[in-house]
């Protein structure tokens, strides 16, 4: 089943509350997905590049970070949250850091890379996951989240959303794709890298690949209607953008609310109940095969 | 005239109280506040009562309704008035997918738009949508009327049996075995009666509608039609 949520603020007023609002939305979707949860938050622009790393536990991760800094030089900043640590490094050093991690600490996942975006995901109830990383205390301009009910693969953190395959780009997905293996092979030939065999990661990779070639988020999603086969409701974040797309059959549920202050997405209306001014919001169901996109600069 | 606040009382208690009402109850007007998109609000009613829901409802609101009149002040989620037997369900906002699915009687009135598969397998209900409806509406519909003041999405009336579909706006495409049929006086009269029941008598001209129905060529299996099933 799975539950997905997203919140995109149009103005800075609510930014300090972003995490608190998103965490309520995520928790409300627990009965659509109690197996694991994850979220992406777009906060302040970092002085360099933010790498969100995930380890088996906080101590193992801290050890690797110490070794990494000894080998590649100290990070600009590091902030540990349970099993995840956000390392901010000079943009020029990011590739070296990733290479060192791949060679020396393959057990550490690079969950996301971005100027603004951080991604956290773990197995467990959404409320527990949000608590572990203190989602409620995070600020930002937009964020997306996912609660997973595992139906086709094991309950592991690697199966948890969001998936990120490009700088500041991430995607959460409700549904299943039928041509992901073929598409993954084709994208690998184009130089895309995938960390899992998950169908959603392929969708994220597809959009990154399109955007890398110059497409806007909206254009990339439009193209995905032709190239992706299966059921999906996507909620996508980029450094400045936010978008929603449902497959042409609109198999998976979706409801949106828009006010002067925000655009919000939920698998069900229940997820939107706690948002300020929701009683006066324009609440609507996104149409099948129609790209909804917002940008804020 | 009970008012039930769903933030203060469990939904189950509300539905249990509504189910316990006898046909001759004096508590005929109920108000439900703070529905907050909960599922199955006022489902399974079987008494001549009026329930006003102030806000947005989740899935299957007023499902299986019999005799009651249920008004949803906001939007309704998937399957509103699913399998309604009789009575009246009114959505003042938009309805999600499968509105009025398999419903056998009564009137479902939607002021806004309805999503995909509106009236799927409807079996005698009258559905009237003031806005537009999504794709595959009236799929395998068997009886009743679906009246749409706006437009209809793809594959309207796919594998239709006997329901009558009246659409005022554009129809993106017709499903298998669904065809446009001429509007005779009897159809205009029927349409007027449905518009009147929805409170639209004199406001909407039945002459602006087109009628769609079953070509009846898929009723009995014929191998030449295998691709159309």
């Amino acid at each position: 089943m799975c539950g997905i949520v997203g919140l995109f603020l149009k103005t800075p007023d609510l930014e300090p509350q972003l995490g608190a609002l998103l965490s309520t939305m995520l928790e409300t979707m627990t009965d659509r997905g109690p197996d694991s949860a994850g979220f992406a938050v777009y906060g302040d622009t970092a002085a360099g590049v933010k790498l969100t790393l995930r380890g088996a536990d906080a101590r193992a991760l801290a050890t690797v970070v110490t070794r990494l800094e000894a080998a590649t030089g100290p990070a600009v900043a590091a902030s540990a949250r349970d099993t995840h640590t956000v390392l901010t490094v000079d943009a020029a050093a990011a590739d070296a850091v990733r290479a060192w991690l791949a060679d020396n600490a393959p057990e550490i996942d690079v969950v996301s890379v971005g100027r603004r975006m951080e991604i956290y995901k773990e197995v467990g109830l959404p409320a527990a996951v949000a608590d572990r990383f203190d989602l409620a205390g995070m600020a930002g301009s937009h964020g997306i989240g996912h609660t997973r009910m595992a139906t086709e693969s094991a309950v592991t953190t690697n199966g948890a959303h969001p998936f990120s395959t490009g700088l500041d780009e991430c995607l959460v997905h409700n549904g299943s794709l039928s041509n992901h293996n073929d598409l993954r092979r084709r994208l690998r030939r184009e130089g895309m890298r995938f960390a899992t065999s998950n169908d959603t990661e392929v969708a994220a990779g597809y959009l990154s690949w399109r955007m890398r070639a110059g497409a806007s988020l909206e254009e990339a999603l439009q193209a995905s209607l032709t190239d992706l086969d299966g059921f999906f409701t996507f909620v996508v974040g980029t450094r400045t953008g936010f978008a929603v797309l449902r497959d042409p059959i609109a198999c998976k549920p979706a409801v949106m609310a828009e006010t002067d202050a925000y655009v919000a997405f939920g698998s069900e209306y229940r997820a939107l109940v706690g948002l300020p001014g929701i009683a006066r919001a324009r609440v609507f169901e996104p149409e099948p095969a129609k790209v909804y996109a917002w940008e804020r600069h | 005239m009970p008012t039930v606040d769903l933030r203060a009382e469990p939904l189950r208690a509300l539905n249990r109280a509504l189910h316990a009402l006898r046909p001759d109850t004096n508590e005929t007007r109920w108000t439900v506040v703070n529905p907050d998109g909960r599922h199955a609000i006022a489902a399974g009613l079987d008494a001549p009562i009026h329930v006003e829901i102030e806000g947005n409802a989740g899935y299957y609101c007023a499902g299986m309704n019999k005799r009651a009149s249920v008004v949803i002040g906001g939007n309704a989620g998937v399957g509103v008035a699913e399998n309604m037997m009789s009575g009246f369900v009114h959505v003042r906002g938009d309805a999600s997918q499968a509105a009025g699915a398999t419903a056998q009687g009564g009137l479902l009135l939607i002021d806004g738009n309805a999503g995909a598969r509106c009236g799927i397998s409807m079996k005698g209900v009258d559905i009237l949508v003031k806005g537009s409806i999504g794709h595959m509406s009236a799929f395998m519909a068997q009886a009743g009327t679906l009246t749409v003041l706006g437009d209809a999405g793809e594959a309207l009336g796919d594998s239709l049996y006997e329901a009558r579909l009246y659409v005022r706006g554009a129809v993106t495409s017709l499903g298998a075995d669904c065809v446009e049929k001429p509007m005779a006086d009897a159809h205009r009269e029927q349409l007027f009666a449905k518009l009147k029941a929805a409170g639209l008598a004199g406001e909407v001209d039945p002459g602006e509608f087109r009628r769609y129905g079953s070509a009846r060529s898929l009723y009995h299996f014929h191998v030449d039609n295998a691709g159309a099933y």
Side-chain angles (χ1 to χ4, degrees):
Chain A
M1 195 147 76
C2 297
I4 51 180
V5 296
L7 181 60
F8 177 82
L9 304 178
K10 295 177 175 176
T11 59
D13 306 354
L14 288 172
E15 285 184 5
Q17 294 176 55
L18 181 87
L21 295 170
L22 198 62
S23 104
T24 306
M25 295 168 80
L26 204 62
E27 286 174 40
T28 310
M29 289 294 94
T30 299
D31 51 10
R32 295 191 70 87
D35 295 330
S36 65
F39 56 88
V41 168
Y42 291 82
D44 292 335
T45 304
V49 172
K50 291 198 264 195
L51 302 163
T52 309
L53 310 181
R54 178 187 164 272
D57 57 65
R59 187 188 295 179
L61 187 58
T63 309
V64 169
V65 169
T66 308
R67 284 169 52 212
L68 169 72
E69 289 187 319
T72 63
V76 176
S79 104
R81 290 177 191 259
D82 203 285
T83 52
H84 289 44
T85 287
V86 177
L87 275 189
T88 305
V89 300
D90 281 333
D95 285 344
V97 168
R98 293 194 74 167
W100 186 91
L101 284 168
D103 291 342
N104 298 283
E107 74 281 11
I108 301 294
D109 296 324
V110 180
V111 184
S112 72
V113 183
R115 291 266 182 187
R116 296 187 55 210
M117 180 184 77
E118 297 171 15
I119 288 181
Y120 300 87
K121 49 188 180 182
E122 269 299 350
V123 296
L125 285 171
V129 173
D131 270 356
R132 284 172 75 172
F133 301 118
D134 187 28
L135 170 58
M138 294 185 192
S141 58
H142 55 301
I144 65 177
H146 182 267
T147 64
R148 179 166 189 247
M149 181 176 283
T151 52
E152 296 183 31
S153 55
V155 179
T156 61
T157 309
N158 278 343
H161 303 210
F163 281 95
S164 176
T165 49
L167 198 71
D168 281 314
E169 294 165 8
C170 68
L171 174 146
V172 290
H173 169 208
N174 183 17
S176 60
L177 302 176
S178 48
N179 64 339
H180 63 100
N181 283 326
D182 177 51
L183 200 54
R184 187 184 296 105
R185 275 193 295 274
R186 284 162 49 198
L187 289 169
R188 276 193 174 131
R189 282 201 291 274
E190 299 285 337
M192 299 298 298
R193 282 184 299 184
F194 295 96
T196 72
S197 55
N198 189 287
D199 58 341
T200 302
E201 191 183 19
V202 174
Y206 174 84
L207 297 178
S208 293
W209 173 65
R210 283 275 179 195
M211 287 192 275
R212 204 168 286 177
S216 66
L217 173 57
E218 197 167 352
E219 290 163 347
L221 282 166
Q222 195 64 45
S224 76
L225 285 167
T226 311
D227 291 336
L228 299 183
D229 188 25
F231 301 132
F232 52 86
T233 295
F234 292 144
V235 181
V236 185
T238 64
R239 190 173 61 80
T240 55
F242 176 79
V244 170
L245 175 65
R246 301 171 84 193
D247 67 73
I249 307 283
C251 246
K252 294 296 178 181
V255 62
M256 302 194 69
E258 185 167 15
T259 70
D260 291 341
Y262 60 79
V263 176
F265 175 95
S267 288
E268 299 176 24
Y269 175 77
R270 288 186 301 142
L272 311 179
V273 166
L275 294 174
I278 188 71
R280 294 177 303 283
R282 183 175 77 95
V283 175
F284 62 100
E285 183 169 317
E287 288 178 29
K290 180 173 171 181
V291 178
Y292 293 81
W294 288 264
E295 282 282 341
R296 181 178 148 193
H297 297 287
Chain B
M1 296 204 208
T3 294
V4 178
D5 182 348
L6 287 182
R7 285 185 197 160
E9 290 182 55
L11 171 64
R12 208 167 273 247
L14 166 72
N15 280 342
R16 200 177 284 134
L18 293 173
H19 293 165
L21 295 173
R22 298 167 65 93
D24 58 351
T25 179
N26 289 327
E27 290 183 324
T28 55
R29 297 193 71 82
W30 291 67
T31 303
V32 178
V33 298
N34 296 317
D36 292 346
R38 286 178 180 81
H39 301 322
I41 300 171
L45 302 191
D46 185 9
I49 59 167
H50 180 81
V51 180
E52 192 92 26
I53 299 168
E54 295 184 352
N56 297 304
Y59 296 177
Y60 310 115
C61 183
M64 301 176 285
N65 185 54
K66 205 169 171 183
R67 297 194 279 181
S69 141
V70 179
V71 177
I72 299 154
N75 293 357
V78 173
V80 63
E82 182 182 71
N83 208 51
M84 172 158 62
M85 302 302 288
S86 64
F88 175 52
V89 174
H90 183 185
V91 182
R92 290 197 197 277
D94 295 339
S96 182
Q97 306 191 348
T102 74
Q104 308 204 24
L107 170 64
L108 169 60
L109 171 63
I110 297 164
D111 287 351
N113 301 313
R117 297 174 279 276
C118 177
I120 181 172
S121 197
M122 52 192 276
K123 296 181 173 74
V125 66
D126 291 310
I127 302 175
L128 192 145
V129 181
K130 292 187 184 175
S132 295
I133 56 173
H135 60 264
M136 293 203 85
S137 289
F139 174 54
M140 292 186 83
Q142 290 153 53
T145 63
L146 172 60
T147 305
V148 183
L149 273 56
D151 303 330
E154 290 173 7
L156 175 70
D158 193 57
S159 304
L160 187 68
Y161 290 84
E162 284 303 319
R164 284 184 179 162
L165 318 180
Y166 299 108
V167 183
R168 185 166 67 164
V171 173
T172 307
S173 64
L174 294 174
D177 216 29
C178 182
V179 292
E180 185 175 352
K181 295 184 167 185
M183 283 282 266
D185 284 346
H187 304 117
R188 275 186 282 273
E189 281 167 24
Q190 181 183 44
L191 176 55
F192 180 77
K194 303 310 171 192
L195 290 166
K196 189 177 173 188
L200 292 167
E203 287 182 38
V204 179
D205 179 1
E208 294 173 1
F209 289 76
R210 297 163 82 139
R211 179 170 73 103
Y212 303 88
S214 174
R216 297 169 185 154
S217 57
L218 299 181
Y219 266 38
H220 305 289
F221 182 76
H222 191 284
V223 73
D224 290 348
N225 292 330
Y229 287 102

